[in-house]
Structure formats: C-alpha cells, structure tokens
Amino acid sequence: MAHDDVHPVSLACGDCPIRHRAVCARCETDELEELESIKYYRSFEAGQTVIWSGDKMDFVASVVSGIATLTQTLEDGRTQMVGLLLPSDFVGRPGRESATYNVSATTDILMCCFRRKPFEEMMERTPHIAQRLLQMTLDELDAAREWMLLLGRKTAREKIASLLSIVARRDASIKLRTAAGRMTFDLPLTREAMADYLGLTLETVSRQISALKRDGVIELEGKRHVTVPDMDRLLIEAGDDSDGGFLV
Amino acid sequence: MAHDDVHPVSLACGDCPIRHRAVCARCETDELEELESIKYYRSFEAGQTVIWSGDKMDFVASVVSGIATLTQTLEDGRTQMVGLLLPSDFVGRPGRESATYNVSATTDILMCCFRRKPFEEMMERTPHIAQRLLQMTLDELDAAREWMLLLGRKTAREKIASLLSIVARRDASIKLRTAAGRMTFDLPLTREAMADYLGLTLETVSRQISALKRDGVIELEGKRHVTVPDMDRLLIEAGDDSDGGFLV
DNA sequence: AACGCGAATTGACCCAAATCAAGTGGCAAC
DNA sequence: GTTGCCACTTGATTTGGGTCAATTCGCGTT
C-alpha cells in the first residue's frame, strides 16, 4: 500500500547489512530512530536452536544472514518443516506471547531482533507497518498453501524437483546464471532437512536426487553443488503450471 | 489490537445476520456507514464455483452462512483443498487483482461482498482494519502450517481423526454436548472433499472411518451424522499433543 | 414399486515410498 | 596414516495407501 509501488521491498533500519522488509524507508526519520532504539543483534551457530515451540518469545526479528527453519513435531519425533527463513525474512509475530514453532539455525545466522512490546506499540501508531506486515503474511500464507498442494498430492520426484526450483529461484538469481535456462547453486539443506520439508525420508530424497541426476535433469558436483542445465525441464518435473510464483 | 480484548470476534456491518470479523464495532459510525455503502450480497448453490483461480476478483467477502472451500489443482486433475471457509471467515485479499485459488460452495452459501478498491482505500485510512486483518491472517497461517504437519507426517487414521476433531471443535460447540467428552455433529463434507483436504483418496477415507467406527472411537448414524463418545480418545488418535488449538 | 443416480462401502491387487541394513566418501583429529 | 564420525548412497524387503472394480445404500422421480 502506501509506498509499495515506489520501492516494493520496503526496508530500513540503520546499519543492517540487509534491509528489513517490514518497514518503509520513505517514511523514515522518527520511526527509523525509534526502530534503532529497540533493536539488538543475536547470532547462532549452525545446528543451534533459536527458540523452542512454546517458549516465551519477547521479540520479533529479521534474518540478516544465514538460513533458519521453522519446524513442528509430533510427540514420537516425526517432524515437519513448515517454513524456510532466508535473509530478510521475518520471524515472530506481534500479539503473541510464545513461539508456535521450533526455530533452528541451519547455517550460522545473524538475526536482527526488535523488542516485541515497543514494536507492537509502534505498529499501532504507524499504520503502514501493519499494512506491510499484512502483505508479507499474505505472501507467506500463499507459500504455505502451495506447500500443502506439494505435501498432499505430489510424488517424491515432483517434490524434489519443486524444492530445487524454489531454491534455484531464491538463490541463483544472485549467482551465476550462464545460458538461457542454466542455473547453478548450492543446496543450503542436508538431505534430512529436505526430507523434513518435503514429508519424505532422507533415503527417498537421496534416491530421487540420484534419479534426477541419472536422467540428466540436474548435475551434481559433490553433494551440495547443483547445476540445472534446463530450468524449464525442471519445472515440468515439478508438475507446476510453469508460472510457479511460490515461496516468495 | 485496539479493542480486541473487549470483543475478540470483531465484526460489524449493519444488517448482516453474522458479524464480520474484519471490522471493529466499537469504532463504528462513519466506517460502518461507509462499509454499508460498498457492500452487496451474493448467494451460491451447493456445488457451484464461486470463483476460479486466476480470475479477476474485484471484491473481498465474508461468509455469512454455509460452507465453502479453497482448492488448488495440478494440470492432471489432482486437487488439494487448502482452506475451509465457515461462517464469518474472510475470503479474498486487499492488494491482489486475481484469485489465487478455486473457491467452491460445498453447501448453499451466502456471501457478503465488499468492492475491493473502496475497501482498500478504507483500509488505508483506518489502521485497525489492517491490524485486525493481520491478526486473522496470522491465525490462518498457523492453521495452514498445522495442516502441513498433518499432510506431511500423519497416517491416514490420524488424518481422519484430526479432521473429525477439528469439525467437532468448530461445529459441536453450538450443538448438543451431552456428557463430559461426548460430542455429536454432522460432517459438512463428502468423502471426496475430505480426501482432498487430507491428501488421501476417497476409498481410504471411507475405510478409515469404518475402522474408527469398528474400534468404537466414533459412532455413525447414516453417512454424515457422527457421535464421538470420548473426545480425549479421538484426540489421542489424532496424534496431537492434546492442546490442539488449530484451524481456529 | 420400479428406476436412476450419486455417495459410500468393500474387496482384491499393486506399487511408491518407508524401513531396515550395509556400505562409501570426505574430512578433521590425533 | 589411521581412526572416527557424519552425511550420504544404495540395496533388499515390507507396507500403507492407491487403483480398479463390484456392490450397496439412500433418496428423489416417475
């Protein structure tokens, strides 16, 4: 809303290396200063848990660098990833005391946190923050629903292809992008994390990646470095109507 | 925020039999009048499609009565339900030209629509509408993520038990509720719709319902009328940590 | 009463992915 | 250079749920 057409990514918050998506820079000044006064940084090592589901969470935050995951678990240990947090993504929610999910660092991460109470108060005084958060939340909701289709109806091979095309889209845009449909990127997740995301076992993930490699849909260098010779082919394997604008 | 503690359901909009959750009644007057001026009603018969994914959608709306569903499909026809709309639920989104999902009427429904453009303009002038919509969207996001856990990691039996406990929670609260954990309600969905919701086939749904009946977890009268003799038992079958506050 | 029809059930069989189990490869520590 | 560890791969086997097909159950129509 407000200034969205001018600078769609929104942003702002002084000296952060990335620009947070929650706040609009054109409305800066007072708000920006206020935001500065309630923020602080926290870093976590790969594998560490940022917060456990049910714990008190007195901040909201933005991922500055690294990758984190949101997961849910059943008592017997079955776990399902419900969100992947990449730099600039927002975590936590105004108006909720405690965390709903486990948040874990997949790589080393740096988070920019804002104390929750002051942030909430600020949000009440500053309409466009709520409007911007609404847009972001609606996008996340779309991504979650796209994921529901994947979890409920896609085959293992389609699931893997979908995940690869999402990572390619988010990651490879800033990396080397040689010919027309050729893309190269690193998988930021272990096979187990991929399995938790896709509702599969890690063995099935491994087998399907091998199968895609054997069939020439992808090329592998080591275990993590992937080259997709033909993105269109991958998208067909993913089973989407090629538009595919998900996981924003 | 604003008045949430006073009347958590929010609401308002003149003569509607239900009160919409998007607007706060304590702030009425001008807004209420304005809201009246941009609203109109539409009704649909059971089985009709309200809107197709990708179609232009120039309104947002609230379900007044009846049940509608949000679904997504792959080209080959596989379909996944991504949302269940019960009375008072909100459909459509400010800031989006076209529909993202298919919306269909499961029963006869009445919807209260607001023309989108004026609604958006009003939202910009009236901060608490955006704030309220944000809360609702966050709740939907939680529900969607809870559903991801179900789709990705639960067995067919657990899926059915989960769906039954959700319907029981949303429906039976207003119906007869005899002894402690005893509940009675009607299933608002066909076996096929349940299958689309749960990521199963209709045969599996049927078999698992029969199994739950055989095992005394539920009692059936006809095909749609269900009695749960012991809600706790059902919740255990659903595999949740009994709290289970999902699908709001 | 007979018919038609869509919704639901039930059975027989099959297959994709889970499970169980045995490697392989890379890399850091001593 | 050997050891240990962890991430990953690959194989053999099992199984939960899908597929295909045959009924059955209601229920409105004529």
Side-chain angles (χ1 to χ4, degrees), chain B residues 67-71 81-85 101-106 189 193:
Chain B
I67 290 168
T69 62
L70 300 182
T71 58
M81 196 186 299
V82 296
L84 191 59
L85 297 171
Y101 315 105
N102 300 321
V103 182
S104 322
T106 291
L189 301 172

Side-chain angles (χ1 to χ4, degrees), chain A residues 155-156 199-201 203-204 207:
Chain A
T155 64
L200 298 171
T201 60
E203 293 95 330
T204 299
R207 272 188 257 272

Side-chain angles (χ1 to χ4, degrees), chain A residues 1-2 70 72-75 78-83 93-96 100-101 123-124 127 130-131 133-135 137-142 144-149 151-155 158 195-197 199-201 239-241, chain B residues 1-2 70 72-75 78-83 93-96 100-101 123-124 127 130-131 133-135 137-142 144-149 151-155 158 195-197 199-201 239-241:
Chain A
M1 347 250 72
L70 300 182
Q72 279 191 310
T73 60
L74 266 7
E75 303 92 277
R78 282 175 284 176
T79 97
Q80 175 67 48
M81 196 185 298
V82 295
R93 76 179 36 182
R96 180 149 303 179
T100 320
Y101 316 104
M123 200 175 90
E124 276 193 46
Q131 286 165 11
L133 277 177
L134 176 59
Q135 289 306 312
T137 307
L138 285 166
D139 288 341
E140 273 186 87
L141 185 57
D142 281 345
R145 285 175 165 165
E146 193 80 36
W147 213 251
M148 287 170 68
L149 175 63
L151 290 171
R153 296 300 188 194
K154 287 190 179 177
T155 64
E158 290 170 332
D196 285 343
Y197 207 172
L200 298 171
T201 60
D240 296 310
D241 13 34
Chain B
M1 347 247 78
L70 300 182
Q72 278 191 311
T73 59
L74 266 5
E75 304 91 276
R78 282 175 284 175
T79 97
Q80 174 66 49
M81 196 186 299
V82 296
R93 75 177 38 181
R96 179 149 303 180
T100 319
Y101 315 105
M123 201 175 89
E124 276 191 48
Q131 286 165 11
L133 277 178
L134 176 59
Q135 289 306 313
T137 307
L138 285 166
D139 288 342
E140 272 186 88
L141 185 57
D142 281 345
R145 286 174 164 165
E146 192 80 38
W147 213 251
M148 286 169 69
L149 176 63
L151 290 171
R153 294 303 188 193
K154 287 190 178 177
T155 65
E158 289 170 332
D196 285 342
Y197 208 171
L200 298 171
T201 59
D240 296 310
D241 12 36

Side-chain angles (χ1 to χ4, degrees), chain A residues 97-111:
Chain A
E97 286 284 329
S98 54
T100 320
Y101 316 104
N102 300 321
V103 181
S104 322
T106 290
T107 62
D108 292 352
I109 59 171
L110 179 64
M111 299 185 48

